[in-house]
Amino acid sequence: MQRMFTRRTFVSMTAASLAARALPAQETAAQVPAPHAQMSPQFSVMIWTLKKLGTFEENLDRVALAGYHHVELVGEFKQWSEDDYRRIMGRMETLKISVDATAGVSAGFADPSGGDAFLAGLKDLIPAAKRLQCKQIILLSGKKIEGAAPGSQHAASIEALKRAADVLSAAGLVAVIEPIDRIENPTIYLDGVTEAFEIAAAVNSPNVRVLYDIYHEQREFGNLIEKFEKNIGQVGLVHIADVPGRHEPGTGEIHYLNIYRKLADLNYRGTICMEFYPTGDIVDTLRQARDQARNLLG
């Protein structure tokens, strides 16, 4: 009952805010490397969150029925045969769905002795990204190294990502670095957006930005809105889920109404990706999450 009440409250608050906001322009399927280049935010679904609920293609259908034109991947294509590629890419074309971002580089960028392996992994992923017509690559730091000299992994991250920026620029791609909370991944090095923004600022390239995952940041650090205010120019992608449980907005403690309003105030025009486990009907839940965000972002 509490979950139902919370969702209803969120919807009611959303509806009340609409009187002061104009309806947004129709989102498009155009892919652009710069996160603030489109006229209004585009919306996407991280498709791994649906994998227990159906096949990849069944979930593509659900995403399309919910009104989305973009999905994000974590490297599923590495297991596709040539027949899989042709069938799935054909289905995506029919549904007018494109891939806006993908992970898939195994090596992390924060290993002082692993810069070459990280760069090789990035180069290996680029042909697949281009085949998917995907313009944005999600990068992880890799493990925190016990006994490493203070600051060495921070410095290694900057150096590796500077090298990556040159590769990405030549390929016409953008990377976003994603912190993961240590509740979920106790061994990860980069666990918060504050350091991620510091690293991106030091790299100083339009080809390396930050993935602000609201779920991960809330679990470990909180103070979500102030970090958007101070760093919005470096945000290349936003991931959405509530805490606890990684479910849709309105099921937990994060006040998404205020977050979306702040993103509107800050004129954020990048991608907003739903990365949650739906608690109800998949299509209805995805549609509602997008509509709430779109209406508030205006």
Side-chain angles (χ1 to χ4, degrees):
M1 291 300 292
Q2 180 62 39
R3 175 178 293 163
M4 292 176 64
F5 174 78
T6 305
R7 280 209 296 267
R8 289 171 182 168
T9 301
F10 188 88
V11 173
S12 297
M13 295 172 73
T14 300
S17 73
L18 296 184
R21 296 185 180 271
L23 290 175
Q26 181 71 26
E27 66 171 305
T28 70
Q31 291 291 314
V32 291
H36 299 285
Q38 59 258 17
M39 294 299 293
S40 61
Q42 68 181 27
F43 296 92
S44 183
V45 176
M46 179 57 88
I47 206 160
W48 76 261
T49 59
L50 307 178
K51 67 180 182 179
K52 294 182 179 179
L53 305 174
T55 67
F56 188 91
E57 289 160 277
E58 287 171 343
N59 289 327
L60 284 178
D61 290 343
R62 288 166 169 150
V63 168
L65 283 170
Y68 292 80
H69 297 293
H70 310 279
V71 293
E72 295 185 2
L73 308 179
V74 291
E76 292 90 341
F77 50 87
K78 292 182 179 182
Q79 307 301 318
W80 293 353
S81 66
E82 284 300 315
D83 286 343
D84 291 335
Y85 256 107
R86 284 191 291 269
R87 187 183 69 257
I88 292 171
M89 294 300 288
R91 186 63 183 156
M92 292 177 67
E93 183 176 358
T94 298
L95 295 171
K96 295 182 171 54
I97 289 178
S98 62
V99 178
D100 71 87
T102 185
V105 179
S106 298
F109 54 75
D111 183 347
S113 64
D116 290 343
F118 163 71
L119 202 65
L122 175 61
K123 290 177 179 178
D124 286 345
L125 186 67
I126 285 174
K130 291 195 169 186
R131 186 172 186 180
L132 294 165
Q133 299 180 18
C134 171
K135 296 294 186 180
Q136 196 157 232
I137 294 174
I138 299 169
L139 299 175
L140 299 178
S141 66
K143 293 183 177 182
K144 183 178 182 179
I145 300 172
E146 296 300 326
S152 62
Q153 289 197 261
H154 184 90
S157 298
I158 294 168
E159 177 61 27
L161 290 168
K162 281 183 175 180
R163 295 172 66 191
D166 293 335
V167 173
L168 292 160
S169 179
L173 301 174
V174 171
V176 285
I177 58 175
E178 181 178 16
I180 306 292
D181 71 85
R182 288 185 181 150
I183 301 170
E184 178 168 310
N185 187 339
T187 66
I188 197 77
Y189 170 71
L190 186 63
D191 63 338
V193 297
T194 298
E195 184 174 4
F197 287 128
E198 292 171 356
I199 290 169
V203 174
N204 192 28
S205 168
N207 298 92
V208 176
R209 309 182 79 88
V210 174
L211 194 171
Y212 197 134
D213 188 307
I214 293 174
Y215 170 81
H216 286 307
E217 192 66 17
Q218 172 67 10
R219 295 224 311 168
E220 189 158 353
F221 296 107
N223 196 28
L224 303 171
I225 287 176
E226 184 178 22
K227 282 174 276 195
F228 273 120
E229 290 175 328
K230 291 181 177 179
N231 303 285
I232 193 64
Q234 292 178 318
V235 178
L237 177 60
V238 174
H239 278 185
I240 302 295
D242 215 333
V243 176
R246 194 191 277 275
H247 299 304
E248 67 270 16
T251 58
E253 69 194 27
I254 301 176
H255 200 312
Y256 271 101
L257 178 70
N258 283 343
I259 288 173
Y260 289 144
R261 282 176 169 169
K262 178 55 64 175
L263 288 175
D265 291 342
L266 296 171
N267 200 33
Y268 177 71
R269 291 294 179 262
T271 297
I272 293 176
C273 178
M274 306 303 172
E275 192 181 21
F276 58 70
Y277 306 126
T279 60
D281 178 84
I282 300 167
V283 173
D284 288 346
T285 303
L286 287 173
R287 182 187 293 117
Q288 181 181 7
R290 183 210 55 196
D291 290 348
Q292 288 169 346
R294 187 169 63 179
N295 290 336
L296 288 164
L297 285 160

